[in-house]
Amino acid sequence: MRKIPTNSAKPSPRRTELPLDLAGPHVTQGAASQQRLYQALCHAIVGGIVKPGEPLPPSRTLAKQTGFRRNAVTTAYERLIADGFAVATVGSGTFVAARIPAQASAPRKAKIAIEPPQHSALSLGCTHIDERALQRFRAFAGRRLRAFGPEHLHYGDPRGNRELRAAISDHLLSTRGLRCDPDQIMLASGTLHALRIVLSAILRAGDQVWCEDPGYPAARRAIEHCGYRPVSVPVDASGMIVGKGRMSAPAARAAYVTPSHQFPLGVQMSMPRRLELLDWAKDADAFVFEDDYDSEFRYDGAPLLSLAGIDHLRRVIYMGTFAKSLFPGLRIGYCALPEQLIGPVTAARAALDRFPGTLLEGAVADMLNSGAFAANLRKARKLYREARDILASTLAAASEGELTVPVPSQGLHLVARLAPATDPRIAAEAKAAACVGGWLLAETYHRARPLPGFVLGFSGHPVPQLVASAEQLAKATLAALRGSRSTPAKPRRPLRIATG
């Protein structure tokens, strides 16, 4: 009988010991054992100590080698898999992924200023979902699909699924002190979508809207694109300077603010300033849009009371999103409306896109009602706090003190600032040379004099990538500063930066 040829290549033997550096700067000393082990494993993978496709030691073997408990090894492996550094094969074990996430510190073939991909380290808006939470979400989504009902076969409520709206109402009461009826909640594909819908219901073309300066460029662009006139209002350590808004645009019909964690500076609007803003809204018969985009991620102290909670939803439209608390791919956000706006906003929604998608709303409601959402938040907060601390310390140390990096008490980004007198071109040159994600701080200014620095995301990125990117950016900043100090001064041209 003729033999059938077989592949003679033998699989790589499974390691019995893995060289791990558990004491280097890439490891957060004092962190939980699973966190330190994860960081050391990432460092070994990114550094090429273990190659793509190579098997990792069995959890029992690695636990014996490191002295960690086996469940710590299992948790570290699960996070490697979730972050794309490893894959698991039933019956075979855990292997290094064939393609690992892009390394921010990888050498570049040419020094060309290219807009970095949005998923690169230090980019804003990235998230992490715990493997257990992801399993729960898959189960909830599968159950909802198997129970496919008539609600998916006709056009629904323009505000969205009532079950999810009720769950959001309960969530806002328990976490933000905001009491509202499910009828006051409208689902949207995100905060910008909600902003556009509500603006179309309450404003006329050409109406003025106060916007923070510096502020969130995408919101400003959305307001302008809809035919309204954004008015830049300066921000100080207490938030939007309401008096400046009254002077420059007393007849404005709305204001867009981020009072709990101002974007990008991170300041909290003081209580006197909040009350002043609400007084203006009442006097001007205007409305305030409160974008509470990252309130779930507060690391020090209790969450701040929302502006809408103080106002009891009389003049404030509250906007939130699951893009950061779960993941952006859901495309589910929401707003809480004053009672007098329910009718006009519902009619506007019906005219614009009828109603939101229905397939995943039930699964998100299950996440909220089952406690899986809160459990994922607790784990994500711990990861993001760790990432925040190591990014801030790495930037400060690697830049030799040239970057001032206040550690934010809330949110998913931080601001690294150069000395105020520094030419903003220095930051632009450094960011282009480092080829990292994030924004220039100057990109968030419209009329106010921009401060030099960077707006950098720390959520959803593996710690080794954060460290490598931070070191790359700090080195590029030092090089740009040294180059500017050794070059004779030339007449300065105005810095042109595209903003919303």
Side-chain angles (χ1 to χ4, degrees):
M1 182 180 292
R2 183 182 177 185
K3 278 190 175 182
I4 299 174
T6 58
N7 187 352
S8 59
K10 295 181 180 179
S12 301
R14 185 165 296 281
R15 288 178 178 265
T16 56
E17 189 166 314
L18 186 64
L20 291 178
D21 181 1
L22 290 163
H26 55 278
V27 174
T28 305
Q29 301 305 320
S33 56
Q34 60 263 32
Q35 299 289 353
R36 288 181 283 138
L37 182 55
Y38 165 80
Q39 292 168 353
L41 286 165
C42 277
H43 185 261
I45 293 170
V46 171
I49 296 171
V50 281
K51 307 296 184 184
E54 188 173 343
L56 294 171
S59 58
R60 191 183 303 276
T61 302
L62 191 57
K64 185 176 180 180
Q65 175 195 333
T66 59
F68 293 145
R69 293 180 180 274
R70 190 179 177 190
N71 63 351
V73 178
T74 302
T75 301
Y77 276 4
E78 287 176 350
R79 188 171 167 198
L80 285 176
I81 294 166
D83 287 343
F85 285 96
V87 293
T89 304
V90 177
S92 299
T94 305
F95 298 78
V96 177
R99 294 184 62 188
I100 63 173
Q103 300 173 34
S105 57
R108 300 184 308 280
K109 292 183 178 179
K111 292 184 178 179
I112 302 174
I114 301 174
E115 184 66 22
Q118 291 303 304
H119 61 273
S120 62
L122 305 183
S123 292
L124 280 68
C126 301
T127 63
H128 171 87
I129 183 167
D130 178 70
E131 182 63 25
R132 177 167 173 76
L134 185 56
Q135 290 172 358
R136 298 287 300 278
F137 181 78
R138 287 183 181 129
F140 291 141
R143 189 187 74 178
R144 293 284 178 162
L145 283 171
R146 289 190 295 272
F148 192 93
E151 68 274 14
H152 304 302
L153 300 176
H154 57 76
Y155 294 104
D157 191 320
R159 291 166 296 179
N161 177 288
R162 183 176 175 83
E163 183 183 4
L164 178 52
R165 290 190 282 121
I168 291 171
S169 177
D170 292 341
H171 172 70
L172 292 179
L173 179 60
S174 63
T175 63
R176 307 299 288 126
L178 175 56
R179 186 181 298 277
C180 61
D181 189 271
D183 286 343
Q184 293 175 265
I185 302 289
M186 180 187 71
L187 304 179
S189 65
T191 52
L192 291 180
H193 187 211
L195 176 66
R196 293 172 68 109
I197 293 170
V198 180
L199 283 172
S200 71
I202 65 176
L203 298 190
R204 294 171 298 191
D207 279 348
Q208 294 176 314
V209 180
W210 290 1
C211 294
E212 296 165 324
D213 190 10
Y216 184 36
R220 186 184 187 93
R221 286 194 296 268
I223 292 166
E224 199 165 29
H225 184 75
C226 291
Y228 313 115
R229 291 187 292 158
V231 177
S232 298
V233 182
V235 172
D236 62 13
S238 297
M240 176 183 274
I241 306 175
V242 178
K244 296 282 188 181
R246 282 183 179 270
M247 286 191 294
S248 57
R253 300 286 296 120
Y256 170 86
V257 292
T258 52
S260 294
H261 186 235
Q262 199 276 332
F263 187 91
L265 299 180
V267 300
Q268 299 166 6
M269 183 178 281
S270 67
M271 185 57 71
R273 198 68 63 79
R274 290 175 183 232
L275 297 177
E276 189 180 359
L277 180 61
L278 294 176
D279 285 343
W280 164 78
K282 182 179 178 181
D283 295 343
D285 193 23
F287 289 94
V288 176
F289 288 86
E290 177 182 14
D291 189 346
D292 208 27
Y293 63 101
D294 62 6
S295 64
E296 290 94 348
F297 298 100
R298 185 162 179 82
Y299 309 108
D300 304 304
L304 301 172
L305 185 64
S306 66
L307 189 64
I310 299 170
D311 175 63
H312 303 296
L313 279 180
R314 287 190 288 260
R315 287 281 161 189
V316 176
I317 296 114
Y318 178 94
M319 300 190 298
T321 178
F322 292 106
K324 297 173 178 63
S325 54
L326 285 174
F327 51 92
L330 271 177
R331 301 309 300 141
I332 297 180
Y334 56 89
C335 62
L337 302 165
E339 286 187 4
Q340 71 266 33
L341 295 185
I342 295 174
V345 171
T346 302
R349 177 60 182 277
L352 287 171
D353 65 350
R354 288 199 146 178
F355 72 110
T358 58
L359 278 177
L360 291 180
E361 291 176 342
V364 176
D366 290 338
M367 289 289 287
L368 286 164
N369 293 330
S370 68
F373 178 79
N376 181 65
L377 281 182
R378 286 193 295 270
K379 293 181 180 179
R381 275 192 211 104
K382 188 174 181 180
L383 291 177
Y384 296 166
R385 179 197 290 270
E386 172 198 357
R388 174 200 67 175
D389 292 346
I390 199 165
L391 176 59
S393 61
T394 302
L395 285 168
S399 68
E400 300 176 9
E402 294 287 0
L403 287 173
T404 301
V405 192
V407 178
S409 61
Q410 180 173 313
L412 307 176
H413 76 272
L414 55 74
V415 174
R417 305 177 190 176
L418 289 157
T422 306
D423 188 334
R425 290 180 182 82
I426 298 296
E429 180 183 334
K431 184 173 180 295
C435 198
V436 297
W439 295 1
L440 296 173
L441 182 55
E443 290 175 320
T444 66
Y445 284 81
H446 187 70
R447 296 192 64 180
R449 181 178 180 272
L451 292 173
F454 311 96
V455 184
L456 307 173
F458 53 78
S459 64
H461 302 294
V463 167
Q465 281 189 308
L466 283 178
V467 172
S469 296
E471 290 174 344
Q472 193 83 355
L473 181 60
K475 290 175 184 176
T477 300
L478 288 175
L481 286 169
R482 288 164 185 156
S484 69
R485 290 164 184 166
S486 62
T487 303
K490 294 181 180 180
R492 290 177 57 182
R493 294 181 178 179
L495 177 67
R496 296 185 181 275
I497 295 178
T499 66

